[in-house]
Amino acid sequence: MLKDGILVLIGGGIGAALRELLMLGVANLPGGFPMPIFMANMTAALLIGVVSALTITGSVIGSGGKLLLTTGVMGGLSTFSSFIWATDQMLANPAEQGSAIVYLVLSIAAGFLLVESGFWLGGCLRSEGNATKGMT
């Protein structure tokens, strides 16, 4: 139990540091669209799909790796609270309300598609790894 908590703590710190780098290095788009938050959440969505596929039956990544990567790194990288806060801030400004609606719809739709794409990609990587094991 303690080991699991430490894995999540380490992964969360890595994910939060990666998110902060995005916040510092990526500018908002015109209309107030919060591109750094969007990129962090979409990156985490894709990667959580990949990692989830690679953890099916522990075939490539075991339970400790899954905790470190999905709960830890992707949990620290993605940010629901910042997503909601940025949307609220845009909705409060009449000039940015259109961007807020686009941001909400795009975040949900793209996030879902990226999780599914990541899961598919991870499945391909898992299958490729299994095929390579059979060749040796």
Side-chain angles (χ1 to χ4, degrees):
M1 186 68 123
L2 180 61
K3 177 187 162 204
D4 292 347
I6 292 170
L7 288 171
V8 171
L9 177 70
I10 291 168
I14 292 167
L18 291 171
R19 179 171 23 110
E20 185 60 21
L21 289 174
L22 278 171
M23 297 297 181
L24 295 172
V26 177
N28 285 340
L29 296 180
F33 190 96
M35 189 54 121
I37 297 168
F38 181 78
M39 286 182 59
N41 288 337
M42 296 306 106
T43 301
L46 176 67
L47 293 176
I48 205 164
V50 170
V51 172
S52 293
L54 294 175
T55 60
I56 292 175
T57 66
S59 58
V60 178
I61 298 173
S63 62
K66 183 177 182 180
L67 277 174
L68 174 77
L69 296 170
T70 58
T71 306
V73 175
M74 265 51 94
L77 176 60
S78 63
T79 171
F80 185 74
S81 57
S82 294
F83 164 67
I84 296 302
W85 179 83
T87 303
D88 181 67
Q89 296 300 299
M90 288 188 291
L91 286 171
N93 180 348
E96 295 179 356
Q97 288 176 348
S99 291
I101 300 303
V102 169
Y103 178 57
L104 277 169
V105 172
L106 187 60
S107 292
I108 292 167
F112 178 77
L113 290 172
L114 285 167
V115 166
E116 291 298 316
S117 296
F119 197 74
W120 174 82
L121 178 60
C124 291
L125 293 171
R126 189 180 69 238
S127 296
E128 186 176 296
N130 289 338
T132 304
K133 287 180 188 176
M135 299 175 97
T136 57

